Amino acid sequence: MTLAANTSESIDLRNARLHKRYRNDLARSDNGDWNPVLDTILTRRSVRSYLSTPVSPAQLEAIVAAAQSASTSSNLQAWSVVAIQDPARKARIAELADSQRHILQAPLLLAFISDLSRLRAIGSQRQLAVDGLDYFESFMISVGDATLAAQNAVVAANSLGLGTCFIGALRNKPEEMAAELGLPDEAFAIFGVLVGHPDPARQSDVKPRLPLPAVLHHERYQPIDPSLLDAYDKSMRIFQKEQNMQEVGWTRKSAARVSGPGSLSGRDRLVAALRARGFGLK
Ligand SMILES: Cc1cc2nc3c(=O)[nH]c(=O)nc-3n(C[C@H](O)[C@H](O)[C@H](O)COP(=O)(O)O)c2cc1C
């Protein structure tokens, strides 16, 4: 896509993309720059139906190079990624991850690893003190690094015309997942990202987000205006109806997702699992 900045074409496209994202015109503008990067990001949606066409080695390398181009705390690069294409291994992983069908279908699963083991190895190989790795701060750094890398990977894949879907269910059974991926101590699969060619017969649509004023605060944080939540529930119900999903809106569904330890898909015991995997978390 080539777009001159601030032409009527770019302004129209900007306003159409923002309308689709929010199902309202609160962010409408007559003064909008737009470009292919914004277009790729604003049209992203989770893809859960894939063709069997493989992701090429060159595509995989470009995606991981994009992931490595993300910012990383103090350049520590405290993350790794395991690329899984073997159908038998994907099937075993799917079984550990809530039997999600799209894990079987996607030709590529990228397991993003929060990885302090490499820095630990530097300590022992070079006889350097790395005791800071025992602190929760280091775990936070690795999760942040891996997450930023993953989102870059998603944007890169989408820019190549590939579809993606995050899979948090890789955390449902952390010990078994670590064994399947051959992870050392202080390495932990925080989520997966499916990558593949979207099935054109089963396209997903852009899912609306909370109205921009519910998220964007100027200078100081403001409590949520209940009317924004009402409006969002309405947008989500319309989206759910269009997608043949249960029309429950957002507030009720989200509250149910965090209603208690039983709603966390086994991840309520994550701290214990992380400690067992060698993370200090002091
Ligand atoms: C960390 C993370 C974990 C997720 N885990 C799953 C998952 O296990 N299975 C799934 O189908 N989608 C998963 N998703 C996708 C979300 O459900 C999806 O991003 C959200 O509903 C918004 O929809 P959209 O991505 O189409 O905009 C996950 C997303 C994130 C960011």
Side-chain angles (χ1 to χ4, degrees):
M1 179 195 301
T2 49
L3 273 180
N6 244 348
T7 60
S8 65
E9 191 195 4
S10 75
I11 292 168
D12 285 352
L13 190 59
R14 173 199 183 277
N15 287 331
R17 295 304 195 213
L18 267 68
H19 180 87
K20 187 87 178 169
R21 181 51 77 193
Y22 295 114
R23 305 267 175 143
N24 65 44
D25 286 321
L26 292 175
R28 192 175 181 82
S29 173
D30 296 332
N31 181 8
D33 289 340
W34 204 246
N35 62 44
V37 176
L38 284 168
D39 213 63
T40 297
I41 294 171
L42 268 281
T43 55
R44 190 211 57 79
R45 78 287 304 271
S46 292
V47 170
R48 297 185 177 88
S49 294
Y50 296 92
L51 302 176
S52 56
T53 320
V55 174
S56 74
Q59 286 174 323
L60 171 60
E61 285 154 11
I63 288 167
V64 175
Q68 286 195 265
S69 301
S71 199
T72 149
S73 189
S74 305
N75 201 26
L76 289 175
Q77 307 176 60
W79 66 279
S80 294
V81 61
V82 182
I84 301 129
Q85 290 171 300
D86 173 18
R89 176 162 290 110
K90 259 191 316 103
R92 289 194 296 276
I93 288 174
E95 215 174 300
L96 296 174
D98 223 8
S99 300
Q100 296 188 43
R101 202 183 47 86
H102 34 296
I103 301 177
L104 303 176
Q105 228 188 40
L108 172 65
L109 167 64
L110 298 175
F112 279 85
I113 312 297
S114 168
D115 190 357
L116 299 180
S117 74
R118 195 164 41 229
L119 290 164
R120 184 70 70 188
I122 293 170
S124 50
Q125 286 169 15
R126 313 264 155 113
Q127 277 95 50
L128 298 167
V130 288
D131 297 342
L133 295 177
D134 297 336
Y135 288 80
F136 184 70
E137 165 65 3
S138 295
F139 178 67
M140 284 280 290
I141 284 174
S142 69
V143 172
D145 276 7
T147 305
L148 296 174
Q151 182 59 20
N152 257 21
V154 163
V155 173
N158 294 164
S159 77
L160 294 170
L162 296 163
T164 54
C165 185
F166 276 88
I167 302 292
L170 257 60
R171 297 193 299 276
N172 288 8
K173 296 188 172 146
E175 293 88 352
E176 289 101 316
M177 192 61 68
E180 181 60 51
L181 298 175
L183 301 182
D185 267 8
E186 292 181 282
F188 172 69
I190 56 172
F191 46 67
V193 173
L194 299 176
V195 185
H197 297 266
D199 180 350
R202 306 188 59 171
Q203 291 207 4
S204 52
D205 203 359
V206 166
K207 190 182 283 182
R209 290 296 193 261
L210 283 161
L212 197 127
V215 173
L216 173 61
H217 306 261
H218 291 282
E219 311 305 336
R220 283 175 64 78
Y221 193 94
Q222 298 297 326
I224 181 76
D225 172 349
S227 71
L228 294 174
L229 293 177
D230 292 342
Y232 186 48
D233 267 332
K234 203 169 152 199
S235 302
M236 278 301 288
R237 274 196 293 271
I238 293 169
F239 171 82
Q240 286 156 349
K241 187 173 184 185
E242 287 167 1
Q243 300 290 306
N244 296 317
M245 295 161 73
Q246 210 190 348
E247 290 170 54
V248 286
W250 181 76
T251 46
R252 221 151 49 89
K253 193 168 183 214
S254 299
R257 173 65 181 77
V258 293
S259 62
S263 68
L264 299 181
S265 308
R267 303 177 213 166
D268 49 312
R269 48 174 293 277
L270 214 49
V271 170
L274 284 166
R275 290 222 162 93
R277 300 227 18 83
F279 288 93
L281 307 179
K282 281 187 202 166

